[in-house]
């Protein structure tokens, strides 16, 4: 593993601030990364823990929790699969697809990714001078072209590299970039050469449907550029003020669980519900929202609901659920399906009966849970045609989604009679 740096400085945007301050330093110690708060940050008025219980506001070295190489709240700011491919492409050119992403260490990825990353942190080589790593704003056509080249492992020009550079910390495995207008910021998602269905429109349909069902969902728009579909998801971690952009601090569910990437499969909705009950503001309202998201993920075939696809805002010791994002129906290869996160106990089966079994952990009676599920099914029927028209979905794509991704017969297996009747209607 190539290590180009032994230390990295963590800069943070405090609540309502439009400029960052240095909070501390990450230092490499073998295979682990140790954090220290800076003295100036500890002594400043208004300083707050980056995240507790991982990084309490105190002097001295803070080692990662057991089983972690780096504090999860810091790792949340590192690039995931797509961002790493952009960095590998930039550093190794045409060898991008062949280079193992583990060849570079985490500190290198933190410094090589763009500054407009998710949340309120950035990582710098200097503790005294903040320098934003962001390219010039590019057109969607330029971004699409750059993403296509990166996917194919083709070296990109410095101009195209800059087009993706400032979006390379956004995470996820699919091609994407960050764009902005005078008043709004978006994540733009593009189709991939490996897509066998229209994934971009599929995610748009699912996100729009979730919003129609009353779930708290990131605003989503569908655009065309160069004859290709582009999904625009408005960023909820940025707020435009008269003095500039502020940033909202976030932690992933993976960090809430205290798990690393390799242990993410052990994350569960049941555990997340327990964390919400113990630590979140408005726990009862939040639990109902999360349960609605769980049910909809099952109904729409989004089995990619892993612990990085759930997150919370963290502000001065208070946790609140972020709007839902990355609700993307997945292709099915067989009759059965499983959610990425466990639902209850060791059960992750994508069935409404499993959702009902888990309802008690969300402070819902079985009757209330059945009513919530019934309403989602009925309103999915009612809104389906209109949203498909809005997406200009082809008849072929409608056929691939309805009854396969949306309302697949498997989700109704072992369901109560009230829900089974709705399956027959579907």
């Amino acid at each position: 593993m190539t290590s180009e740096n032994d230390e990295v400085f963590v800069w943070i945007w405090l609540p309502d601030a439009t400029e960052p301050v240095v909070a501390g330093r990450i230092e490499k110690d073998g295979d682990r990364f140790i954090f220290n708060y800076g003295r100036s940050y500890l002594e400043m008025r208004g300083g707050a823990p980056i995240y507790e219980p991982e990084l309490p506001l105190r002097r001295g070295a803070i080692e990662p929790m057991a089983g972690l190489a780096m504090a999860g709240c810091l790792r949340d700011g590192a690039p995931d699969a797509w961002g790493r491919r952009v960095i590998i492409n930039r550093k190794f050119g045409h060898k991008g697809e062949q280079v193992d992403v583990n060849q570079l260490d985490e500190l290198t990825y933190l410094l090589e990714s763009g500054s407009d990353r998710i949340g309120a942190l950035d990582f710098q080589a200097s503790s005294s001078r903040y320098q934003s790593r962001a390219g010039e704003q590019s057109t969607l056509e330029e971004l699409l072209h750059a993403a296509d080249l990166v996917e194919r492992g083709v070296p990109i020009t410095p101009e195209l590299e800059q087009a993706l550079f400032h979006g390379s910390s956004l995470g996820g495995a699919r091609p994407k970039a960050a764009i902005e207008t005078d008043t709004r910021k978006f994540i733009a998602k593009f189709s991939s050469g490996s897509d066998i269905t229209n994934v971009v429109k599929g995610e748009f349909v699912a996100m729009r449907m979730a919003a129609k069902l009353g779930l708290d969902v990131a605003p989503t728009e569908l655009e065309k550029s160069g004859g290709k579909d582009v999904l625009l998801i408005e960023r909820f971690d940025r707020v435009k003020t008269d003095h500039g952009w502020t940033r909202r601090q976030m932690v992933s569910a993976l960090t809430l669980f205290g798990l690393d990437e390799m242990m993410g499969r052990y994350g569960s909705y049941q555990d997340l519900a327990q964390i919400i009950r113990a630590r979140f503001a408005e726990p009862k309202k939040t639990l109902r929202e999360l349960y609605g998201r769980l049910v909809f993920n099952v109904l729409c075939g989004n089995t990619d609901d892993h612990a990085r696809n759930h997150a919370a805002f963290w502000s001065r010791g208070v946790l609140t659920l972020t709007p839902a994002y990355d609700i993307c129906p997945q292709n099915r290869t067989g009759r059965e399906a499983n959610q990425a996160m466990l639902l209850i106990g060791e059960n992750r089966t994508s069935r409404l009966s499993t959702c009902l079994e888990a309802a008690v952990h969300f402070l819902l009676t079985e009757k209330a849970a059945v009513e919530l599920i019934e309403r989602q099914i009925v309103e999915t029927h009612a809104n389906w045609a209109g949203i498909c028209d809005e997406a200009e979905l082809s008849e072929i794509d409608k056929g691939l989604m309805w009854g396969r991704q949306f309302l697949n017969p498997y989700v109704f297996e072992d369901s109560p009679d009230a829900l089974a009747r709705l399956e027959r209607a579907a």
Side-chain angles (χ1 to χ4, degrees):
M1 180 181 293
T2 300
S3 179
E4 300 179 359
N5 303 274
D6 292 325
E7 65 178 16
V8 165
F9 293 94
V10 181
W11 291 66
I12 186 170
W13 279 256
L14 293 171
D16 303 320
T18 56
E19 298 292 337
V21 295
V22 64
R25 179 186 66 184
I26 306 172
E27 187 174 7
K28 185 176 175 63
D29 181 22
D31 293 331
R32 306 183 80 210
F33 301 91
I34 314 301
F35 179 78
N36 280 267
Y37 281 107
R39 186 175 65 180
S40 63
Y41 188 77
L42 290 171
E43 295 175 352
M44 75 177 293
R45 185 176 181 179
I50 293 176
Y51 173 65
E52 287 182 312
E54 278 195 313
L55 299 180
L57 197 62
R58 63 172 173 81
R59 296 183 185 276
I62 304 175
E63 296 190 358
M65 290 184 168
L68 302 180
M70 177 186 290
C73 59
L74 302 176
R75 175 61 179 81
D76 283 340
D80 282 344
W82 172 252
R84 291 176 193 237
R85 288 187 68 179
V86 174
I87 292 168
I88 288 292
N89 182 282
R90 170 158 41 86
K91 295 184 74 69
F92 299 100
H94 68 282
K95 296 187 295 182
E97 285 194 330
Q98 288 75 46
V99 174
D100 182 358
V101 294
N102 293 320
Q103 184 172 342
L104 300 176
D105 77 339
E106 287 300 318
L107 296 189
T108 301
Y109 279 121
L110 291 177
L111 287 177
E112 291 287 341
S113 53
S115 291
D116 202 12
R117 67 190 74 232
I118 291 296
L121 300 181
D122 193 17
F123 304 92
Q124 299 275 312
S126 171
S127 63
S128 58
R129 179 172 176 265
Y130 179 80
Q131 185 173 2
S132 176
R133 299 183 299 280
E136 296 296 323
Q137 284 298 306
S138 303
T139 66
L140 283 176
E141 288 84 354
E142 290 171 326
L143 292 168
L144 277 164
H145 181 48
D148 179 62
L149 293 177
V150 169
E151 268 213 298
R152 292 189 282 119
V154 176
I156 55 179
T157 66
E159 291 76 20
L160 285 176
E161 184 273 323
Q162 285 296 323
L164 291 184
F165 182 48
H166 67 305
S168 63
S169 64
L170 296 172
R174 295 190 58 78
K176 60 175 67 68
I179 62 174
E180 67 178 90
T181 66
D182 290 340
T183 58
R184 303 168 75 191
K185 290 197 175 194
F186 298 90
I187 293 172
K189 289 188 175 183
F190 313 125
S191 59
S192 168
S194 60
D195 291 343
I196 58 176
T197 60
N198 196 321
V199 176
V200 169
K201 284 188 174 181
E203 184 170 348
F204 173 79
V205 169
M207 293 284 284
R208 292 286 290 138
M209 184 67 75
K212 289 285 188 181
L213 299 185
L215 297 174
D216 182 17
V217 181
T220 306
E221 300 174 10
L222 191 63
E223 300 285 345
K224 273 193 178 295
S225 181
K228 294 185 178 181
D229 297 308
V230 181
L231 184 67
L232 299 180
I233 303 100
E234 186 167 0
R235 294 184 64 167
F236 45 73
D237 62 334
R238 298 291 186 266
V239 179
K240 184 64 179 292
T241 70
D242 293 339
H243 304 290
W245 290 98
T246 64
R247 303 191 180 196
R248 301 191 68 180
Q249 196 165 346
M250 290 170 51
V251 290
S252 68
L254 200 64
T255 293
L256 295 173
F257 293 142
L259 300 174
D260 69 1
E261 303 288 343
M262 299 303 294
M263 301 295 287
R265 65 187 181 277
Y266 296 112
S268 75
Y269 283 98
Q270 179 180 344
D271 289 344
L272 185 52
Q274 290 176 339
I275 293 170
I276 289 170
R277 291 171 69 174
R279 300 185 58 203
F280 274 58
E282 298 186 282
K284 189 171 183 179
K285 177 182 177 182
T286 304
L287 286 169
R288 186 176 181 86
E289 170 70 22
L290 180 62
Y291 189 75
R293 296 182 191 186
L294 162 59
V295 169
F296 184 67
N297 282 334
V298 170
L299 289 176
C300 77
N302 175 33
T303 54
D304 192 36
D305 55 342
H306 56 78
R308 283 210 179 278
N309 282 344
H310 300 274
F313 294 122
W314 164 262
S315 179
R316 301 196 184 283
V318 177
L319 286 166
T320 53
L321 203 63
T322 71
Y325 57 96
D326 284 356
I327 304 177
C328 187
Q330 304 294 304
N331 293 318
R332 300 172 85 107
T333 57
R335 183 181 67 85
E336 298 182 1
N338 293 295
Q339 299 304 121
M341 285 214 312
L342 296 161
L343 275 64
I344 181 171
E346 298 301 312
N347 191 345
R348 64 175 82 243
T349 54
S350 305
R351 295 187 301 182
L352 296 175
S353 59
T354 314
C355 297
L356 290 173
E357 186 182 352
V360 63
H361 296 285
F362 296 81
L363 303 182
L364 292 172
T365 64
E366 180 174 347
K367 180 176 183 292
V370 169
E371 289 175 351
L372 184 152
I373 294 170
E374 285 181 324
R375 185 177 62 81
Q376 285 203 5
I377 295 171
V378 170
E379 293 191 12
T380 296
H381 276 276
N383 288 288
W384 175 254
I387 292 176
C388 287
D389 288 345
E390 187 180 355
E392 298 181 351
L393 206 64
S394 70
E395 291 300 321
I396 292 176
D397 283 333
K398 288 181 190 176
L400 289 172
M401 293 182 68
W402 187 260
R404 299 188 185 188
Q405 295 171 336
F406 276 80
L407 305 187
N408 187 289
Y410 178 70
V411 309
F412 292 94
E413 287 193 5
D414 299 325
S415 292
D417 289 342
L419 300 182
R421 286 195 298 272
L422 291 175
E423 181 213 357
R424 289 191 290 273

